[in-house]
Amino acid sequence: MKKFGFMIVLLLSLLVSSVQGALSLDYSFRKADVAGTTVTDGVTVVSVERGQALPIEVWINAVNSVDNVRVEASLKGYERGSIHAESDIFELDANTVKRIPLVLELPSDLDASETYTLVVEINDKHNGVLQEFPVRVKEKRHLINVLDVIFRPSSTVEAGRFLRTVVRLENLGGKDEKDIRVTVS
């Protein structure tokens, strides 16, 4: 029984030390502006459209002067790759607030009506601060994507001959599309 109690105390002390190592006493997260919406906690849900550039501004409170600081932002939950942006390395001066702009390029094939997690991380070589925010992805009203273009008989054509073209389209928008016209030239 004593071994079990000792193991619990050991695990708790390791957990507390790892959490303290993830915090910084030199700087802190002040707020973030995501697509024009100011978020300071993890409760505010930001709504964005897929296929757009997502501007993010991060404000950092500097308590002490720190060198080699970087801000990273990533959208978690995208299954076809990573959506990630990071700042250049910069310095923080003591008792100042610094604004860092970032832009995440959202792919047009993100699942619409899904809520993803935007992770903003401020770190230097010794410490780090992490904030998470929910982001709801909506579809645009009208968005057509060209999936494939097929030329027959080939990609070259002789004078006076026909070139048959098949264009495969994908509707990524929220509305049904009618009377679509494709022009090949």
Side-chain angles (χ1 to χ4, degrees):
M1 191 66 163
K2 288 184 180 184
K3 282 186 177 181
F4 182 73
F6 175 74
M7 292 300 289
I8 290 177
V9 170
L10 179 65
L11 286 175
L12 286 176
S13 65
L14 286 173
L15 180 64
V16 168
S17 66
S18 67
V19 169
Q20 288 174 347
L23 299 176
S24 173
L25 300 176
D26 296 323
Y27 51 86
S28 64
F29 175 85
R30 181 171 186 178
K31 67 176 181 173
D33 186 45
V34 181
T37 302
T38 300
V39 290
T40 55
D41 55 18
V43 177
T44 305
V45 178
V46 179
S47 182
V48 298
E49 289 183 345
R50 62 183 176 185
Q52 76 176 35
L54 180 62
I56 302 167
E57 292 182 341
V58 179
W59 278 268
I60 304 167
N61 282 337
V63 177
N64 299 316
S65 294
V66 184
D67 195 16
N68 297 330
V69 180
R70 181 184 306 262
V71 176
E72 300 177 32
S74 59
L75 198 66
K76 302 298 182 189
Y78 180 57
E79 63 184 35
R80 293 177 189 93
S82 65
I83 304 169
H84 179 81
E86 64 182 29
S87 70
D88 292 331
I89 291 177
F90 57 90
E91 296 176 2
L92 290 174
D93 296 325
N95 301 317
T96 61
V97 175
K98 186 162 181 88
R99 180 187 67 88
I100 304 296
L102 297 170
V103 176
L104 282 179
E105 297 293 334
L106 300 181
S108 58
D109 63 349
L110 275 171
D111 291 333
S113 300
E114 291 287 327
T115 300
Y116 294 87
T117 301
L118 173 65
V119 178
V120 176
E121 185 176 3
I122 307 165
N123 54 44
D124 63 298
K125 59 186 175 185
H126 301 292
N127 302 304
V129 177
L130 182 112
Q131 287 286 341
E132 295 182 349
F133 308 102
V135 174
R136 171 68 53 105
V137 175
K138 299 282 185 179
E139 61 217 358
K140 291 183 178 182
R141 289 176 62 88
H142 304 284
L143 180 62
I144 301 293
N145 184 29
V146 176
L147 286 178
D148 197 10
V149 179
I150 302 168
F151 298 108
R152 290 204 177 109
S154 67
S155 60
T156 60
V157 64
E158 297 176 12
R161 302 288 251 172
F162 291 101
L163 177 65
R164 181 172 178 229
T165 306
V166 177
V167 180
R168 291 183 21 196
L169 303 174
E170 178 182 24
N171 183 6
L172 295 173
K175 299 290 183 181
D176 290 342
E177 301 295 339
K178 298 176 185 173
D179 301 326
I180 295 175
R181 182 180 194 148
V182 177
T183 303
V184 178
S185 60

